[in-house]
Amino acid sequence: MQGSFWMKRVFSDLYRRGMSSYLVDDSRYSFLRELELNKRNSGVYNGKWFGSGEVVTSISPASGQIIAEVVTGNEADYDACVSASQEAWQQWSELPAPRRGNIVQQIGDALRAKLLPLGKLVSLEMGKILPEGIGEVQEYVDICDYAVGLSRTLEGKYLPSERPGHALMEVWNPLGVIGVISAFNFPLAVYGWNSAIAMVCGDTVLWKGAPSTSLVSVATTKLVSRVLERNGLPGAICALCQGGSLIGELMVKDERLPLISFTGSTAVGQKVGVQVQQRFGKSLLELGGNNSVVVADDADLDLVVPSVVFASVGTAGQRCTTLRRLILHKQVYDTVLERLKRAYSQVLLKVGDPLGEGTLLGPLHSTEAVHNFKTRVEEVIRAGGKVEFGGK
Amino acid sequence: MQGSFWMKRVFSDLYRRGMSSYLVDDSRYSFLRELELNKRNSGVYNGKWFGSGEVVTSISPASGQIIAEVVTGNEADYDACVSASQEAWQQWSELPAPRRGNIVQQIGDALRAKLLPLGKLVSLEMGKILPEGIGEVQEYVDICDYAVGLSRTLEGKYLPSERPGHALMEVWNPLGVIGVISAFNFPLAVYGWNSAIAMVCGDTVLWKGAPSTSLVSVATTKLVSRVLERNGLPGAICALCQGGSLIGELMVKDERLPLISFTGSTAVGQKVGVQVQQRFGKSLLELGGNNSVVVADDADLDLVVPSVVFASVGTAGQRCTTLRRLILHKQVYDTVLERLKRAYSQVLLKVGDPLGEGTLLGPLHSTEAVHNFKTRVEEVIRAGGKVEFGGK
Amino acid sequence: MQGSFWMKRVFSDLYRRGMSSYLVDDSRYSFLRELELNKRNSGVYNGKWFGSGEVVTSISPASGQIIAEVVTGNEADYDACVSASQEAWQQWSELPAPRRGNIVQQIGDALRAKLLPLGKLVSLEMGKILPEGIGEVQEYVDICDYAVGLSRTLEGKYLPSERPGHALMEVWNPLGVIGVISAFNFPLAVYGWNSAIAMVCGDTVLWKGAPSTSLVSVATTKLVSRVLERNGLPGAICALCQGGSLIGELMVKDERLPLISFTGSTAVGQKVGVQVQQRFGKSLLELGGNNSVVVADDADLDLVVPSVVFASVGTAGQRCTTLRRLILHKQVYDTVLERLKRAYSQVLLKVGDPLGEGTLLGPLHSTEAVHNFKTRVEEVIRAGGKVEFGGK
Amino acid sequence: MQGSFWMKRVFSDLYRRGMSSYLVDDSRYSFLRELELNKRNSGVYNGKWFGSGEVVTSISPASGQIIAEVVTGNEADYDACVSASQEAWQQWSELPAPRRGNIVQQIGDALRAKLLPLGKLVSLEMGKILPEGIGEVQEYVDICDYAVGLSRTLEGKYLPSERPGHALMEVWNPLGVIGVISAFNFPLAVYGWNSAIAMVCGDTVLWKGAPSTSLVSVATTKLVSRVLERNGLPGAICALCQGGSLIGELMVKDERLPLISFTGSTAVGQKVGVQVQQRFGKSLLELGGNNSVVVADDADLDLVVPSVVFASVGTAGQRCTTLRRLILHKQVYDTVLERLKRAYSQVLLKVGDPLGEGTLLGPLHSTEAVHNFKTRVEEVIRAGGKVEFGGK
């Protein structure tokens, strides 16, 4: 029964939720205040903070406790974001790229200064363990460094022409407002990759993060907006409109957004791609995976076992790169299975609060995810599969 | 005594030379006429053929027989070449690069059409075996293809500037007349590499080939000049001034030649580099090598032995990439040595006329080379070295 | 009534068509035989020629006379093309890129040798004037040169990694069979651009040309296939399946074709893009245009007038880059109008057989195009527009 | 007599020098202490600070007052620098480039934090006005940003090969210890450009700054060394060996330094280039200029006059890009001359202490420079030239 220890905890916590005070008021989570989060937070930003849509309650997947609330955007809010971001683009796109790079560098520095609190928020709200939470912030920092260099090296080509006295010039122009729709499993890094590159390219960004990680979106945008404001630049260069599928659909169909970067499931991504193509827009799709490891009979098992475990349980298996299938040569089948069981039994000792010291495996992100996981295991069993470890 | 069989032949042939008729008149060498070579050939070309310097007699290193004569250039001839090439540059550098590429393509096609006769000439005059002679022409053909593409893809960069409304453009401009001094061991390919690239870049070329391979220089320039003339372009785009060290020194010191590409010995290359640097010119130096092969105890000897033999006897050891030292792990020392001896004994059966069917090893290029080779072997023996095979 | 002189001729010719013998049998059109065209031609090629679909009759838009017939492909024929091209890809994609470039170079040379007959066929079957027909072949030749260079310079990047002892390598791999759907107005060049680049990249190509220019597709594929066969390579590297919208739809939905390059109307292109995206394929869309020229009051009218006329009447206005709207500053309105009328009256004198010496304007490609043209003019008049010249 | 007002001040100050206390002890120059400078400073650094050579007294060119002293390196000190830097290279070159970029980023941040004091030191010791002094530090900061990006984008190419199953890889490897010899007129920025790029490329640096700006070298190296030490890296990654021509000559001839970057006069640069070429080393030479402005009769004089003045008096004319010759169309000659005189009379009012508020023109760097300037003016007069303004 060990395997579902924390799942049970989630459920019981969900019942207890009514009685909980908000974690944002809990002094053990003072990093939330450090990130300028309040009990109720506006989830829309276009230079100023507002929001007239539904209120989303952000819950810690580990404890089921409420962290804080976010007021999402409605259709009018969304429109106000796009308009402001388009207007901001007029100014931003005219700024020399190295100057834009300098702003991105300041964002990187601001992130460095909040590496720990922001990493903790990612861990608390998404559920991944703290080193992974911090790792996401670090990825944003790294892409900022990369983008700073790009702001001085982003090149077109100057090519010979067939025509005397002429040359061909390849000049990269900014597109406009870039729509970024990100998923719960990487609530911060995906935005960082997209926005840092878009910004040095001269584009402004409108972000919709996953509803269940709205606090990460708000805290990140607060931090970014401080940098923009300090430099006398329009905040709508990095606009935010939290919300659910309504906002996502508005973005996908909006001709004012020349490029949609979507991260999420393959099923939704297919629809997004088609709808954006319908209006001759551009899309970046970061969708699901289905990875397997094939272990040959001469493989180095000391490398195989930890790799397989990490690839399977990292981010509690909620990554596009998560390992789903392990294909073993018959000569190593028994050995690998035995060693994996031993490894998993070690991991079980480290299941728990993702913010806790030494935790290796945190919770699934939602009760829906728990349900899907159980259902899938049942299907496998019905299909003749056998649970080798845990699952009772 | 096998090893020096053909060396002896060289010497005896040298004595007989006086009586020989010129090979250019010999019907067995009719490819020479096909290449527009005559008994006496002008060795200077700047749009027309002339030459007032010394007459060089070109000798087949395999037989010692005279092939034909070339009238080299004197100082005035050289000056007439540089002037004409500078003037041609005015027109050539203004031509769109893809149009220049088209000319180079036509040169490539002309070379394809003369692959065999030109390959035979390289083999006859330089002494390398026919497949190597043809290989040189093929390398020139290949670089022409490469240069054709380059004529449409040779790019500068268009980069962001710190200054609003500005951009940085990297534009590659032609230099002027490029001086190419090539060596006897690759009498054709080195010129091909340098000239094809220089031509698409918008530069004209002044070539001085090795005196002892003057016929290759003349035949190649004839072929190239036909293409230029057919297109109504000045022949001095590809000027030629055969001659000895006098012409070489004029080139190295001439401020009208912004870039000198020199292939030859390290000792001379050092002087060339310094003299060109003295006048703030640019130099490309392709000098000597000193290659070794280290054979570990677990090496695949089936790969080692033929590689070592080919790297040692290819071009009769007259390449910058020739293998000079073989460093054997003691556990494979005896085996490798034994197998090398066997391999060399096979090679000995294939020593002979480089134009002959199946020949693997042709003559050294000159009597001086033969002398140097013998002297070096004697030094090695005096230093305690042992001749394991041949040499008697 | 001058303007529709040749349109009338088209219609009367259409009536007379029944009586005409095929132009392929007419000695004045002997270039058709030179291109290996017959009275009835197979329109499907996958290494051998076949075809079991509808028979298309190819008509000269200028005279309405039948040129020859082409047997298009049905669904089974199409499948045989894709299978063969996939199999050919196994071999082709493994060939070193420079070797593939060499094949493309031979295709370029083969096109050079047939520049005139192929240009004449384009002109005869599509209706554009001969210089434009030859121009299309030349564009294919040029892209071959470009592709040859690309075959040696197509680069990935080798980048620093964060991980000690590691590097990041960007390696471009071939995709598979590329589907090319081209339009009537550039029946040859569009295929050339797509296929030459695809080929050096290691991809094979399946082409469906416009049904009304099937002879160009057949003649071009004959020429290309000769090169492939001469080199002992599978013909299905450049497969052909002529046909109508059925074949087009099969291609668009076929997961075996990872990339569809479509040239045609915006309306159809939108559907193509969406259907390809639906299956996560890649698409290259070359669709309609809507170009205008804005003439300021200080414009150089000597440049404006011929530019406008050429941009309007070139290819009889059947280009994506055709000029549709002319926006004149009021101060130059009258002058430009007057000069344009004069210019058009000159053009009228040069309307006629596109193969004829000095013809500037040939026929529209089809009776449907004539109908659309007339209808559009009527709409403009109803909307208050005025016909300033011709049209009566 | 206005023009030489400050020159005279220089001379009188030189006489007074004996009595001056050191500026490093003067509280008005407290930024010197902030830069960790002392009365006597070691001028050699290879991980630790030392120096056994001559003592150089650093003088403010504006006042002739002594700032502080620097103990330069002798031959043994130099050797200790090269050895340590070679050893440091073993570690530094193995570090992943992005990690090296992170160090350079920290150096950039450290420079940002000392922008003003370091800018003041440049101004005080070199003599250029404060905005130019700060500008030099900013250039170093900017190149650090650029280099950070480069550390993740510095690319080789991955190219197709003629050989089946093979590819060509272009991999850029670090060279070793780079020798940087910089000049007095840009005592900081030139080092910044060279060292930031060299560092991300994996090379270590040995710097010899101009003797008369030794304090800038010491202060900069202190700042850089703090970053290296904080990261547990060998200080000899950025070694320093102040000294005169002896050290310079050792560097130029030293085969352990594969690349010499030299900034200075054309005469010395020629010798450096030749000596480095002699040993087949690489050199980067940043030498003298001889710039002219040609003013046509339709030039915008509002742009011409300030451009000419700035290009002439900036850095007191001590730049390779300084304007030396003004070529005026006769129709604008009088007007431009008149306006230049007016402009120069304005500049004269702003001659003075380079650290002073509003100063536009500071002193020449040395008494030798003053002498050369006077001599050159006299030569011009003797040659028939006329002094239009100042000079009396």
Side-chain angles (χ1 to χ4, degrees), chain C residues 34-45:
Chain C
E34 200 183 330
L35 296 168
E36 299 192 53
L37 294 176
N38 303 307
K39 204 152 181 173
R40 172 165 291 200
N41 302 277
S42 296
V44 185
Y45 176 75

Side-chain angles (χ1 to χ4, degrees), chain A residues 1-10 348 351-353 392:
Chain A
M1 297 293 285
Q2 310 114 309
S4 58
F5 153 73
W6 53 262
M7 295 184 195
K8 284 206 157 171
R9 196 154 62 78
V10 169
L348 273 194
V351 171
D353 180 359
K392 283 179 291 272

Side-chain angles (χ1 to χ4, degrees), chain B residues 24-89:
Chain B
V24 74
D25 289 332
D26 185 333
S27 63
R28 285 171 302 170
Y29 298 90
S30 60
F31 61 85
L32 297 170
R33 291 290 177 187
E34 199 182 333
L35 295 167
E36 299 191 52
L37 293 176
N38 302 308
K39 203 154 181 173
R40 171 166 290 200
N41 303 277
S42 296
V44 186
Y45 176 74
N46 73 348
K48 54 181 206 284
W49 288 94
F50 58 109
S52 324
E54 277 180 54
V55 177
V56 170
T57 305
S58 186
I59 295 160
S60 156
S63 69
Q65 287 177 291
I66 296 175
I67 309 167
E69 296 171 356
V70 173
V71 190
T72 64
N74 62 15
E75 189 158 353
D77 296 344
Y78 166 78
D79 253 348
C81 285
V82 177
S83 302
S85 200
Q86 280 190 309
E87 202 183 313
W89 184 83

